Amino acid sequence: MHGPGSSGWLLVALCAATGAYCLLRMRSGVKEQRRAAGGEALMGFGMAAMAVPAAVFTPPAWAWPLWAVVFGAAGLHALWAARASARHLHHVVGAGAMVYMAVVMAAAPRGAHHGAAGTPALTAALLLYFTAYVLVTGARLVPVAAVAGGPGTGPGANSGARWGDRPELARACRLSMGIAMVAMLLMM
């Protein structure tokens, strides 16, 4: 969505770091985690590419339709995966939001990379969804008051878990992408 310089670079850094961590999560021993991490890595890197400030790089006209096709395919894949787990419906919404932003950018006049673009009702609905998602996911990351000395408390309690198998880091990854999506939709 090519926002202003400093906020655009912050979004690029956040989304690229999230995408990189999701690539690490693809090494998990759990098949379902690997599958979800792959889609989230694609989303993170795609969002990073969309957030690069326009003063630095303006994608060629063919890039936006290509991104719409790539994320449309990712959305269909997530919809297929949703048959087994409704959790994949969030990936469908995320991929749909990426398709929407790519289509809006393809339709925008050359050089106009942010501002009043898109369908206000759809943008508002996506903003509402991702804001609610960020709030719910953030609330799930807040630790519940642990019983002193109970199992799983104290330093190093989760130190044996591999980086790709840590659910709190996966939630933080999804939270950061949700925050970035809210920021990108606000720039439309």
Side-chain angles (χ1 to χ4, degrees):
M1 297 304 3
H2 290 299
S6 61
S7 63
W9 284 119
L10 287 172
L11 278 174
V12 169
L14 175 69
C15 295
T18 300
Y21 175 69
C22 290
L23 286 178
L24 285 175
R25 286 183 37 229
M26 288 180 69
R27 296 175 47 201
S28 171
V30 181
K31 183 179 179 182
E32 183 61 29
Q33 287 181 9
R34 285 192 311 268
R35 182 176 292 140
E40 290 167 1
L42 174 68
M43 186 73 71
F45 289 128
M47 290 171 67
M50 280 187 168
V52 172
V56 175
F57 175 70
T58 301
W62 56 263
W64 300 114
L66 177 66
W67 283 348
V69 169
V70 167
F71 285 104
L76 290 174
H77 183 266
L79 188 60
W80 183 258
R83 296 173 310 125
S85 171
R87 194 183 63 155
H88 291 283
L89 291 175
H90 171 70
H91 294 155
V92 174
V93 175
M98 293 294 285
V99 169
Y100 170 64
M101 289 188 285
V103 167
V104 166
M105 294 309 291
R110 188 89 173 133
H113 293 291
H114 62 282
T119 308
L122 183 53
T123 303
L126 287 169
L127 269 170
L128 182 65
Y129 172 81
F130 282 103
T131 300
Y133 180 80
V134 164
L135 292 173
V136 169
T137 304
R140 287 182 182 160
L141 279 174
V142 175
V144 179
V147 177
T153 62
N158 203 9
S159 62
R162 293 174 38 176
W163 281 98
D165 294 330
R166 301 202 41 189
E168 71 278 8
L169 291 178
R171 278 191 211 109
C173 173
R174 292 182 192 113
L175 175 65
S176 65
M177 281 197 293
I179 291 168
M181 187 66 78
V182 168
M184 291 173 76
L185 287 166
L186 284 172
M187 284 190 251
M188 288 189 68

